[in-house]
């Protein structure tokens, strides 16, 4: 969950580290910290400890780890640092760095697991002598026992975290005579749990060592072949986004990998010491996609981008006659025709997209399908037909629960296909086949455009399966037309809803709680609307299929508990209107999403949100956008941080 970035090079490390943290802040924002190797000669009185900056000393050290940490956002940390406005490409002789600066360091933005949100628990952690620093993403198993053991053996610990134990173990191995790489190997060999981890060493000031077990880690190679060695720079991060401004050549670590980084390059190995041949990939993600531009927040930008995302997700994959080409899911027609069932797994928004997908598989391809919460599935995997179609959905491709569920399914002999947004992510690499969502980097913690891209990909797959399982050509052609018209219909919906959404957001911002309802295909969309609202506005928000209200939830309703109802123009409309009438009778205000000309629905609406008319099977893609706008508008009215809701992080890489 946490963001990690590290660099060893010939230029000042701090500007790059802070830039990296800013790019990774969406992964965790409880606290942040940085440790840089600086020459001891640069200290006010050489060799002396500086309690204010957390500088540690040992007898006559040549280098020290200069550490700064702070609770809160990266901007607060940056304010504590020496001037980071130095050009990051300035070539420095390490011994001649300006005060407080060095050419190697590690940095971290935290999402707390072990230990409260305090400066003492913020990373980097160091051993008591200050010779080894660590930043860690993951959770060590049995940390309480290890902590007791280390304390009993006389080690001093300064935090409540499991991560600090790693620095202590590595420092011990160093004191026993190991070099950096072997010390890390020795420390990790005896541990269980998950880690994406980077170590820095005061006694080896241009070396970093990183390792991966269950938490992502990517090494960036900054030396262009034949390039000027004065610009050598090797980087590491938990997410390639932190590397984009500095290099496009990366190596993704796999579980059990370890890498030794120096400015001129990296050496890759396994925890058991075997050398590993790295596969260098070239990232083609445009940098501009992760920048805010003229928008107020990333969520605003990502909502607005959706018509374009839909067009990208369809490009080259759908012909006007309904023929679908999904390069990564190339099942022979006979296999598609014989599929006995399908299972789709994911978490949060990805799970809601999976639910839409399961309903589409049933309707278009007559394929029994269900969606499962990945965290539950990992505990109790269902018994599936050996030939079942199994799909894993994830925006980040790094969600721990989803990866664990995939592991369980693979253990049972199933091949899992991935629907993943982040190119080169753990899930994308793990699933032998699948499709990329093409949504582009999604930065806001609240997922928006990834949902739309997932639903498009699933609709295409349902259409493709359907054609092998009896879906008439005319129906396929009609649906293809609706899909190809979607980008325009969505842009129209976005515009038409802007004003009424503002009124609806004002209404919701005074609510005690909000109930969402939808039936059929709209039920998972209602659930997605409720998730968006509760994670952004911190309001209790629940979703029920419309028919379930009278079995209990109606008791909740009153003038301060509005209902957001989805009333699409499909076979659920009549029942949805009946349910809505029952809601109005109980005095609850209503926000109703309906087709522009639906006077019956409008008559029951306190506020109407017009959703462009389209084929009912693509309605989820049009309904979701006003719900995203509604959640954002309500959160803004309540003064919430849109891109960084409290207690959350973008990629949930821990159990
Ligand atoms: O990256 P993933 O799609 O695997 O993430 C799954 C969930 O953690 C994610 O959708 C989460 O629920 C979002 N914050 C919802 O907006």
């Amino acid at each position: 969950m946490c963001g990690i970035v590290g660099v060893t090079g010939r230029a000042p490390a701090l500007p790059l580290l802070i830039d990296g943290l800013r790019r990774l802040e969406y992964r965790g924002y409880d606290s942040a910290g940085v440790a840089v190797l600086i020459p001891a000669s640069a200290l006010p009185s050489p060799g002396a400890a500086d309690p204010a900056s957390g500088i540690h000393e040992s007898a006559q050290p040549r280098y020290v780890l200069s550490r700064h940490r702070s609770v809160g956002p990266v901007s607060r940390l940056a304010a504590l640092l020496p001037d980071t406005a130095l050009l990051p490409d300035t070539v420095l002789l390490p011994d001649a760095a300006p005060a407080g600066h060095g050419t190697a360091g590690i940095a971290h933005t935290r999402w707390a697991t072990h230990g409260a949100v305090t400066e003492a628990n913020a990373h980097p952690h160091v051993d008591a002598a200050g010779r080894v620093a660590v930043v860690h993403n993951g959770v060590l198993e049995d940390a309480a026992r290890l902590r007791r053991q280390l304390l009993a053996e006389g080690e001093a610990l300064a935090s409540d975290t499991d991560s600090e134990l790693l620095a202590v173990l590595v420092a011990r191995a160093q004191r026993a005579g190991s070099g950096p790489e072997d010390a890390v190997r020795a420390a990790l060999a005896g541990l269980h749990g998950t880690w994406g981890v980077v170590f820095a060493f005061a006694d080896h000031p241009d070396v970093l060592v990183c390792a991966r077990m269950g938490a992502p880690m990517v090494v960036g190679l900054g030396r262009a072949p034949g390039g000027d060695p004065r610009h050598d720079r090797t980087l590491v991060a938990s997410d390639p986004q932190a590397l984009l401004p500095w290099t496009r050549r990366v190596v993704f670590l796999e579980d059990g990998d370890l890498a030794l980084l120096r400015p001129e390059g990296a050496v890759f190995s396994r925890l058991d010491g075997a050398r590993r041949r790295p596969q260098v990939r070239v990232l083609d993600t445009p940098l501009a996609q992760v920048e805010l531009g003229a928008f107020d927040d990333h969520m605003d930008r990502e909502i607005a981008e959706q018509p374009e995302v839909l067009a990208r997700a369809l490009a080259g994959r759908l012909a006007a006659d309904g023929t679908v080409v999904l390069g990564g899911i190339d099942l022979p027609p006979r296999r598609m025709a014989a599929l006995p069932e399908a299972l789709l797994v994911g978490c949060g928004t990805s799970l809601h997209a999976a639910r839409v997908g399961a309903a589409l598989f049933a309707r278009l391809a007559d394929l029994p399908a269900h969606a499962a919460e990945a965290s539950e599935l990992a505990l109790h995997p269902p018994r599936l037909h050996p030939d079942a179609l199994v799909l894993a959905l994830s925006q980040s491709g790094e969600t721990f629960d989803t990866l664990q569920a995939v592991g369980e399914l693979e253990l049972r002999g199933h091949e899992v296909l991935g629907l993943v947004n982040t190119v080169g992510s753990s899930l994308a690499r793990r699933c032998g086949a699948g499709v990329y969502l093409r949504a582009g980097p999604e930065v806001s913690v609240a997922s928006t455009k990834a949902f739309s891209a997932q639903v498009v990909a699933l609709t295409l797959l349902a259409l493709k399966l359907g054609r092998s399982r009896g879906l008439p050509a005319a129906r396929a052609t009609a649906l293809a037309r609706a899909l190809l018209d979607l980008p325009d219909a969505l842009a129209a919906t976005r515009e038409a809803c802007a004003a009424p959404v503002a009124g609806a957001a004002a209404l919701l911002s005074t609510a005690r709680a909000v109930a969402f309802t939808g039936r059929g295909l709209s039920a998972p969309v209602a659930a997605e609307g409720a998730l968006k609202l509760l994670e952004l506005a911190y309001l209790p928000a629940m979703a029920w299929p419309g028919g379930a209200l009278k079995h209990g939830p109606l008791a909740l309703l009153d003038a301060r508990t509005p209902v957001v109802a989805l009333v699409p123009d499909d076979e659920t409309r009549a029942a949805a209107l009946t349910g809505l009438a029952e809601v109005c009778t109980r005095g609850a205000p209503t926000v109703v999403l309906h087709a522009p000309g639906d006077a019956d629905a409008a008559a029951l609406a306190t506020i109407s949100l017009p959703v462009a008319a389209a084929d009912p099977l693509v309605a989820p893609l049009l309904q979701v956008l006003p719900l995203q706008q509604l959640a954002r508008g309500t959160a803004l009215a309540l003064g919430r941080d849109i891109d960084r809701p409290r207690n959350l992080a973008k990629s949930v890489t821990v159990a």
Side-chain angles (χ1 to χ4, degrees):
M1 314 267 300
C2 310
I4 286 178
V5 59
V7 63
T8 173
R10 318 254 186 239
L14 273 178
L16 188 150
L17 294 172
I18 294 301
D19 178 84
L21 286 187
R22 288 199 168 110
R23 289 173 193 279
L24 294 181
E25 204 170 11
Y26 70 97
R27 294 188 75 123
Y29 32 80
D30 294 341
S31 54
V34 60
V36 180
L37 278 309
I38 62 169
S41 57
L43 292 179
S45 84
D50 174 351
S53 68
I55 292 173
H56 297 258
E57 65 162 346
S58 71
Q60 304 296 315
R62 255 182 42 76
Y63 277 82
V64 292
L65 282 158
S66 167
R67 179 173 60 152
H68 297 267
R69 298 177 296 170
S70 126
V71 168
V74 173
S75 53
R76 198 174 300 165
L77 171 72
L80 303 174
L81 299 177
D83 182 14
T84 54
L86 277 176
L87 278 181
D89 279 326
T90 317
V91 177
L92 280 185
L93 295 174
D95 285 336
H101 278 282
T103 57
I106 55 180
H108 187 270
T109 174
R110 178 171 187 243
W111 186 85
T113 54
H114 283 59
V117 181
T118 61
E119 189 180 316
N121 287 336
H123 298 220
H125 292 287
V126 293
D127 68 305
R131 307 312 290 165
V132 174
V134 66
V135 287
H136 171 221
N137 178 9
V139 178
L140 298 185
E141 285 171 19
D142 216 9
R145 188 201 50 76
L146 181 58
R147 161 178 291 276
R148 283 194 301 275
Q149 182 190 321
L150 290 173
L151 287 171
E153 289 170 6
E155 298 289 352
L157 297 175
S159 79
D160 305 321
T161 67
D162 52 351
S163 310
E164 182 185 11
L165 310 180
L166 291 165
V168 173
L169 292 173
V170 171
R172 278 181 150 204
Q174 267 204 327
R175 289 201 297 273
S178 297
E181 193 180 5
D182 286 340
V184 171
R185 190 170 277 123
L188 295 180
L191 297 175
H192 296 284
T194 53
W195 54 78
V197 71
V198 189
F199 296 89
F201 309 86
D203 299 322
H204 304 273
D206 68 345
V207 168
L208 301 179
V209 175
C210 60
R212 170 188 166 131
M213 185 67 75
M217 197 90 302
V218 56
V219 170
L221 305 172
R223 177 183 223 178
D228 181 347
R230 287 177 308 157
H231 295 294
D232 281 352
R233 173 191 286 148
T234 306
L235 308 102
V236 60
S238 52
D239 184 322
Q241 286 199 27
L243 308 181
L244 288 179
W246 316 105
T247 183
R248 298 290 165 145
R249 299 174 63 243
V250 300
V251 176
F252 289 97
L253 298 197
E254 301 297 341
D255 284 350
D257 279 353
L258 190 138
L260 176 98
L261 277 48
R262 286 205 162 87
E264 60 274 20
V267 178
F268 297 85
S269 59
R270 302 284 300 159
L271 267 183
D272 64 9
R275 287 290 157 212
R276 172 159 114 66
R277 184 195 290 266
Q279 195 195 344
V280 179
R281 294 170 189 249
V282 178
L283 300 173
D284 60 2
T285 319
L287 190 57
Q289 283 188 342
V290 297
E291 278 161 7
L292 206 47
F295 291 91
D296 291 339
D297 48 74
H298 286 286
M299 186 185 186
D300 193 18
R301 179 178 60 78
E302 287 160 5
I303 291 174
E305 217 183 306
Q306 286 174 110
E308 204 184 299
V309 167
L310 295 187
R312 266 204 309 270
L314 291 167
R317 290 174 167 171
L318 177 66
D321 67 353
T323 305
V324 172
V325 180
L326 289 173
I329 304 185
D330 200 13
L331 305 176
R334 193 181 303 172
R335 164 123 198 258
M336 291 195 279
L339 284 172
E341 61 176 324
L343 173 73
L344 300 88
V345 294
C347 299
T349 290
S350 291
L351 176 62
H352 295 147
R355 291 197 170 127
V356 175
L360 290 171
F361 287 4
R363 287 178 194 209
L364 284 168
D366 193 21
L367 176 64
H370 70 278
E373 170 91 50
S375 55
E376 287 299 301
L377 182 139
L379 288 176
H380 304 290
R383 186 181 289 275
L384 288 177
H385 191 287
D387 296 333
L389 174 69
V390 183
L391 298 169
L393 282 75
S394 176
Q395 186 289 125
S396 61
E398 302 294 352
T399 300
F400 179 89
D401 291 331
T402 307
L403 287 164
Q404 208 184 25
V406 168
E408 289 298 325
L409 290 161
E410 284 175 347
L411 263 182
R412 283 157 181 76
H414 298 289
E415 185 200 1
V416 182
L417 304 176
L419 258 74
V420 185
N421 192 37
T422 307
V423 178
S425 58
S426 300
L427 187 62
R429 286 177 289 122
R430 175 156 197 163
C431 296
V435 293
Y436 278 121
L437 300 176
R438 301 181 182 168
E442 192 181 66
V443 174
S444 186
V445 166
S447 186
T448 53
K449 60 178 181 167
F451 175 89
S452 297
Q454 282 167 334
V455 172
V456 169
L458 289 166
T459 312
L460 290 176
L461 183 54
L463 191 51
K464 183 178 166 91
L465 294 171
R467 289 296 287 133
S468 295
R469 299 171 65 93
L471 183 74
R475 181 70 188 98
T477 308
L479 187 56
R481 198 173 312 121
L483 281 165
L484 294 167
D485 287 346
L486 261 176
D488 289 343
L490 192 62
T493 297
R494 175 170 173 254
E495 209 166 306
C497 284
V501 156
L507 173 72
L508 264 52
S509 67
T510 61
R512 273 188 320 144
V514 183
F516 286 71
T517 71
R519 305 181 78 123
L521 263 188
S522 300
V525 187
E528 174 60 7
L531 174 64
K532 284 294 88 93
L533 184 69
L534 71 85
E535 78 175 321
L536 289 176
Y538 320 150
L539 280 175
M542 299 137 283
W544 290 278
L549 288 183
K550 55 189 176 294
H551 299 290
L554 280 184
L556 273 179
L557 303 188
D558 60 18
R560 288 195 56 212
T561 309
V563 173
V564 179
L566 278 60
V567 185
D569 188 12
D570 65 10
E571 77 284 357
T572 67
R573 178 176 171 275
L577 288 174
T578 305
L580 195 53
E582 288 162 7
V583 164
C584 292
T585 310
R586 269 77 192 172
T590 58
V591 176
V592 186
L593 280 74
H594 59 78
D598 190 338
D600 296 335
L604 294 168
T606 311
I607 297 178
S608 281
L609 299 182
V611 174
D615 187 302
L617 294 192
V618 302
L621 287 159
L622 296 169
Q623 293 165 330
V624 77
L625 187 144
L627 296 183
Q628 297 162 347
Q629 290 176 317
L630 182 59
R632 178 177 173 276
T634 308
L636 275 177
L638 290 168
R640 312 297 192 218
D641 184 334
I642 298 299
D643 286 331
R644 284 175 290 189
R646 71 183 180 200
N647 302 337
L648 299 181
K650 180 68 179 161
S651 306
V652 188
T653 57
V654 292

